[in-house]
Amino acid sequence: MRGINKSYGSSQALRDVNLKVSTGELIALLGPSGSGKTTLLRIIAGIESPDPGGRIFFDGTDVSATDLGKRRIGFVFQHYALFKHMSVFENIAFGLRSKPRQERPSNAAIKAKVEELLALVQLQNFAPRYPSQLSGGQRQRVALARALAVEPRVLLLDEPFGALDATVRRELRRWLRKLHDRIHVTSIFVTHDQEEALEVADRVAVMNAGRIEQFAPPEEVYERPANPFVYGFLGNFNLFHGRRDGAPRSETPSTPATFVRPHDIEILRDNADGSGIAAKVTHIGFLGSAVNVELIKLDDHQQVDAALTTQAYRDLALKVDQEVFIKLRNPHSFYEDYAI
Amino acid sequence: MAEVSAIKGAAQPAKQRTRKKRSLASRLLVAGTILFLTLFVILPVANVFTEALSKGVGAYVETFYVEKPAQNANLSFRERHRIVAKAARAERTWSAIRLSCFVAACVVPLNMIFGLAAAWAIAKFRFRGRVFLLTLIDLPFSISPVIAGMMFVLLFGRTGIFGDWATNLTWPDPTSIAWQGFEGHWWPFAFTRSESGIMFTPLAIILATIFVTFPFVARSVIPLMEAQGSEEEIAALSLGAGGWRTFRTVTLANIKWALLYGAILCTARTFGEFGAVSVVSGHIDSNDTMPLRIEKLWDAYDMQAAFSVATLLSGLAVLTLIVKSVVEWKTGHTRAPEPRELELKSDEHRSAGDQQVLRLLPGTQGREP
């Protein structure tokens, strides 16, 4: 994919997007709403066309001018878009029955293929049911089977788990990962859920305001974010402006902004080596698996959020209004001029 | 615990009171509705049937069918004249029924096509003037049918804008289609009559009826099409289905009940249309549709015959109601949750999921340790 631009009237939804996906990869397009990720997906699918000059290649062939139906893509919608009046069987068989007469498989072949797909999505006994008789997770699996029936070159999923509840969503995305490991179809999925993207994808493209900010494997995106936006979007953070104590000092004259994750803030009862920052505990939120501690730095009264493991919290025996020292682990500095 | 029960104790009588009040109010409303319906709907309809049968079943049947007297029957001139007049009356009534059916057979399919096309354009595409088009579709609802009829007179009448073209237009009368055999022709049917002009012919009646009944199909299909969006069509296209297959197996299958519903309303209105048809028919007997025929019988002080024809229209109305409720029941049972509902649901879940993901974010949950 090269130089994709897309404008709606005066607003530009995509600015010069370049993306190269290898065969068999599972890619996540991650970004806040309005960042252009769905638009990009729809352009790849051929539902929308890019502004002149944008080109899309599948396996080296230019498909920019190819119709949606001839691109051989599988598209999975957030709201399933199953054919309501057709049974699960007919839904999955639709793509096979839609082929031109000379390529169309025989009824027996269609039946075998549909049964194979139903087994793949673990819905063997649901063939005669109608979509309205299925749960959300089941519907989405049918939608996936329907998309896979035509053996697509690329599988595109638009917020596939967005309409499901949290538990089903987590279950289904693990299942998707396993499924992908089995069938290895090149897949691109759109999500606004950073956890989902990091857990499922081989590589994550973080998008913002129509641009791809970073395109890298999950660990790299998380550990070495390219810019403050990526850092901020992938989790909570504390922001320290200027050259604060504990932040890495920089030789450049511009003031760095330092980002630290709440779980990378260490709380100490005493300032043994003198590098700690004095702070006061203002609130403690107990979550079971972790404890949120809100602090205020004593020097500039800036709020700092820390996340401790329950064990660390017990060892420290923190109380509200207690004065402690904090240390920053693993801080990320970005320079103001590099910020968005 | 005590607090909870106290609240419960306070809430319950209040709840009962409102329920009691509401039930009184609702009973009054129901009684009022029934009274109103009895006075303005049930009584008049019942009256149609009693009037039609006021001179007995024989007279009722004679409105539509008069038995020919036996060849050797000894009848006075007066009696013969009476029978001939009745037979002529029955023949004109039949001609009205035939014309009404013919008009409906032309108008309903055409309006299904037009309505579907308009609904498709409005529901699936966003374009400049879309709202204007939507308003235009509703125009026949807000225009008096008489005005609609007069518009056609102004267009196609002798002095109208297309007057010269329209009056010289000759077209075969489709009701005169007859078998002519294969000898010397490749097509065994032929029209024995042709008509000229548009005004004051069945063609004008069809045009006026199309205008008046245009909104029904479009209006009943648009909301459903809009609610369903075009995701299913896109899904079908992405699976390699052609445009026609997509339309047939996805779009049409999804809206078939709404389409039928619109067609039923359209049919009912076609049979009942009076104003527009009255103007463009020119009050010529052969152009009478059933409502026009009823009016003519009424004007001739032939109340019983007028009511007899009216029973047919009433019967059609009852039939329409039955079919309509069956269709409504069907559509009510096959409708899937609307996308908006799903959207709401997904937002709920999303926030729940986010809470789990962002459980390290302080301030999102005000839970005390």
Side-chain angles (χ1 to χ4, degrees), chain A residues 56-287:
Chain A
I56 294 163
F57 299 89
F58 287 177
D59 300 332
T61 47
D62 189 347
V63 294
S64 315
T66 313
D67 276 348
L68 166 66
K70 301 218 167 70
R71 284 196 191 185
R72 282 207 26 229
I73 48 118
F75 203 96
V76 176
F77 295 84
Q78 179 177 6
H79 297 303
Y80 330 121
L82 292 176
F83 308 130
K84 292 185 266 305
H85 56 280
M86 290 183 205
S87 66
V88 167
F89 184 95
E90 285 303 321
N91 260 288
I92 298 174
F94 186 89
L96 299 171
R97 293 202 204 280
S98 297
K99 289 190 173 187
R101 199 170 289 276
Q102 55 274 26
E103 294 169 34
R104 200 182 304 162
S106 66
N107 271 335
I110 289 178
K111 194 163 188 295
K113 178 85 189 169
V114 171
E115 269 161 16
E116 183 196 320
L117 284 161
L118 279 171
L120 190 70
V121 299
Q122 294 156 12
L123 289 170
Q124 289 93 328
N125 301 323
F126 291 83
R129 300 248 199 132
Y130 282 84
S132 58
Q133 297 166 308
L134 301 179
S135 72
Q138 291 168 337
R139 284 184 211 182
Q140 199 54 291
R141 281 186 280 163
V142 173
L144 203 57
R146 182 179 71 179
L148 290 173
V150 288
E151 286 166 7
R153 289 189 287 186
V154 185
L155 184 64
L156 303 167
L157 306 104
D158 185 8
E159 305 236 1
F161 314 125
L164 303 168
D165 62 56
T167 18
V168 179
R169 189 152 74 180
R170 214 167 310 152
E171 221 168 81
L172 209 55
R173 70 180 180 228
R174 266 171 214 159
W175 175 82
L176 176 69
R177 181 66 241 185
K178 272 189 211 142
L179 182 75
H180 184 266
D181 292 343
R182 262 178 71 189
I183 57 175
H184 281 297
V185 57
T186 312
S187 310
I188 303 176
F189 79 99
V190 158
T191 181
H192 60 264
D193 183 339
Q194 55 277 51
E195 201 185 23
E196 194 169 291
L198 296 178
E199 183 178 344
V200 178
D202 293 325
R203 281 197 288 168
V204 179
V206 184
M207 292 190 70
N208 178 39
R211 258 190 291 259
I212 292 185
E213 301 281 358
Q214 190 172 12
F215 183 38
E219 294 94 350
E220 194 181 325
V221 171
Y222 193 83
E223 300 294 338
R224 289 190 292 286
N227 57 36
F229 173 80
V230 176
Y231 191 94
F233 193 72
L234 289 176
N236 304 312
F237 59 89
N238 290 293
L239 178 60
F240 297 92
H241 279 291
R243 298 187 292 163
R244 293 278 164 227
D245 289 0
R249 283 166 205 280
S250 169
E251 308 307 316
T252 49
S254 66
T255 48
T258 302
F259 291 74
V260 181
R261 303 264 181 230
H263 61 256
D264 280 334
I265 291 201
E266 204 177 342
I267 299 181
L268 303 166
R269 301 206 65 157
D270 51 359
N271 197 5
D273 58 355
S275 65
I277 308 163
K280 196 169 84 174
V281 178
T282 56
H283 180 80
I284 297 172
F286 185 73
L287 295 175

Side-chain angles (χ1 to χ4, degrees), chain B residues 135-181:
Chain B
T135 320
L136 216 56
I137 287 176
D138 279 343
L139 189 71
F141 274 158
S142 50
I143 277 187
S144 160
V146 178
I147 313 278
M150 282 170 60
M151 282 174 0
F152 279 98
V153 175
L154 288 177
L155 276 179
F156 301 121
R158 208 169 282 279
T159 55
I161 301 169
F162 304 114
D164 288 338
W165 172 79
T167 36
N168 291 328
L169 185 76
T170 309
W171 47 276
D173 178 4
T175 52
S176 71
I177 196 161
W179 180 263
Q180 57 169 359

Side-chain angles (χ1 to χ4, degrees), chain B residues 125-137:
Chain B
F125 298 98
R126 295 284 172 274
F127 52 90
R128 197 183 284 270
R130 182 175 163 272
V131 179
F132 178 69
L133 189 61
L134 201 58
T135 320
L136 216 56
I137 287 176

